[in-house]
Amino acid sequence: MTLEKRSSLRITTSVLFALILRELQGRFGAKRFGAFWVFFEPAAQIALYMMVFSFRNISVRSGIDFPLFLVSGMVPFFLMRNIALQSMSAVDANKALFAYRQIKPLDTIVARAVIAIIISISVYLIFMFLLGFIFGYKVTMVDPLRWAAVLAIGVVFSFSLGLLLCMIVDVLPDSQVFIRLLFFPVYILSGVLFPIWVLPADALNLLLWNPFVHIIDELRLATFPYYPDHVDVNIVYPFKVSVFLLLISLGLYRIRRFKLVAS
């Protein structure tokens, strides 16, 4: 009996599929109500902010309801944050699997990124359904192609950042706690909870160095029909940062890929 010779692409696809199934089983099947907690954690935080800020029927701008404003920024930011943080710990959590030659450190990072995308898209659709059909808000998407393109850039940026953080943590394991804490001020300063046009010009100029600000605001611009287009916000800046960061992180990964397995 002769074994079928498989191409590199087919082997990689099979490895990623197996890793995704393993991650799903670990998150949803390892403990009771695993699926509930995976969806409840981001949903509860979104619901809390919506409840706090919606008591007085706050409207960000004419035609934009605050709950929709929150969801349109929070879920994409959670997606990007989770890709970066889960990628950071992917290699360390799957050390035993590297005994198999077919499994590479990069495969574990890609698998976790795919899981984060699946979960975040599901949460986003659930919230938009609830807000639109249950609570009666006017859910819109004025430019779906632009929204998808901007989100793709955000995913590439967070994946590149996560790959870079993974190698930093491999060299400096104690930095992992600090990096996780650092994402909270980044969350606050990314325009997720407030419209950026309420800020003074000097403060906004500083925040615009943060690629997340551009990504979140561009997503909202593609979502709401009356969302103001800020002159200094554009998708070119985070695209350039994403490409640069991806090249740097992939270059460092190529240099350290054997040390990641051995460490």
Side-chain angles (χ1 to χ4, degrees):
M1 181 179 178
T2 58
L3 295 176
E4 181 186 355
K5 188 176 180 180
R6 298 187 297 173
S7 64
S8 300
L9 178 60
R10 190 172 176 183
I11 292 174
T12 301
T13 303
S14 300
V15 167
L16 288 176
F17 182 72
L19 288 172
I20 291 172
L21 289 180
R22 184 176 183 270
E23 288 285 338
L24 286 173
Q25 185 179 13
R27 297 192 192 190
F28 296 132
K31 55 186 177 180
R32 293 182 178 179
F33 304 109
F36 172 77
W37 289 113
V38 166
F39 289 99
F40 178 77
E41 182 181 4
Q45 190 169 354
I46 294 171
L48 176 63
Y49 281 109
M50 287 197 309
M51 184 172 58
V52 169
F53 289 103
S54 297
F55 277 132
R56 297 184 178 180
N57 294 321
I58 300 175
S59 181
V60 179
R61 197 178 179 90
S62 177
I64 304 177
D65 295 301
F66 199 73
L68 294 174
F69 176 85
L70 277 178
V71 173
S72 66
M74 293 180 74
V75 175
F77 182 85
F78 288 162
L79 166 63
M80 294 182 286
R81 181 202 64 183
N82 290 340
I83 289 177
L85 293 182
Q86 291 171 12
S87 298
M88 179 178 68
S89 59
V91 172
D92 187 61
N94 293 279
K95 290 286 188 182
L97 297 178
F98 300 140
Y100 301 97
R101 289 189 309 165
Q102 296 90 340
I103 301 178
K104 310 299 181 185
L106 188 62
D107 296 332
T108 62
I109 297 175
V110 172
R112 289 201 166 189
V114 171
I115 295 297
I117 293 171
I118 293 173
I119 292 175
S120 294
I121 289 178
S122 300
V123 171
Y124 189 85
L125 292 176
I126 289 171
F127 262 87
M128 287 304 180
F129 174 81
L130 292 175
L131 291 173
F133 291 93
I134 306 300
F135 295 99
Y137 291 104
K138 186 179 180 181
V139 177
T140 60
M141 179 64 69
V142 296
D143 196 341
L145 292 179
R146 181 175 184 173
W147 187 90
V150 174
L151 187 64
I153 293 174
V155 168
V156 173
F157 172 70
S158 53
F159 174 82
S160 306
L161 180 60
L163 181 58
L164 181 62
L165 293 177
C166 178
M167 289 177 286
I168 292 175
V169 168
D170 185 64
V171 177
L172 302 170
D174 293 336
S175 64
Q176 186 168 353
V177 175
F178 172 75
I179 292 172
R180 291 185 179 277
L181 292 175
L182 190 61
F183 263 86
F184 181 73
V186 172
Y187 170 56
I188 299 298
L189 299 175
S190 294
V192 177
L193 303 178
F194 54 84
I196 60 173
W197 60 79
V198 303
L199 298 174
D202 293 338
L204 181 57
N205 289 334
L206 290 175
L207 286 186
L208 288 176
W209 286 98
N210 178 3
F212 287 119
V213 173
H214 296 263
I215 293 170
I216 296 298
D217 210 62
E218 283 287 333
L219 286 172
R220 285 172 170 154
L221 187 62
T223 302
F224 302 111
Y226 304 108
Y227 196 82
D229 188 359
H230 196 282
V231 65
D232 293 321
V233 173
N234 61 81
I235 201 57
V236 177
Y237 171 67
F239 175 77
K240 291 180 178 179
V241 173
S242 299
V243 172
F244 175 77
L245 192 59
L246 182 63
L247 294 175
I248 293 296
S249 58
L250 287 177
L252 291 175
Y253 170 78
R254 182 169 178 81
I255 295 172
R256 293 194 52 86
R257 64 188 187 281
F258 297 116
K259 294 182 180 179
L260 287 174
V261 175
S263 60

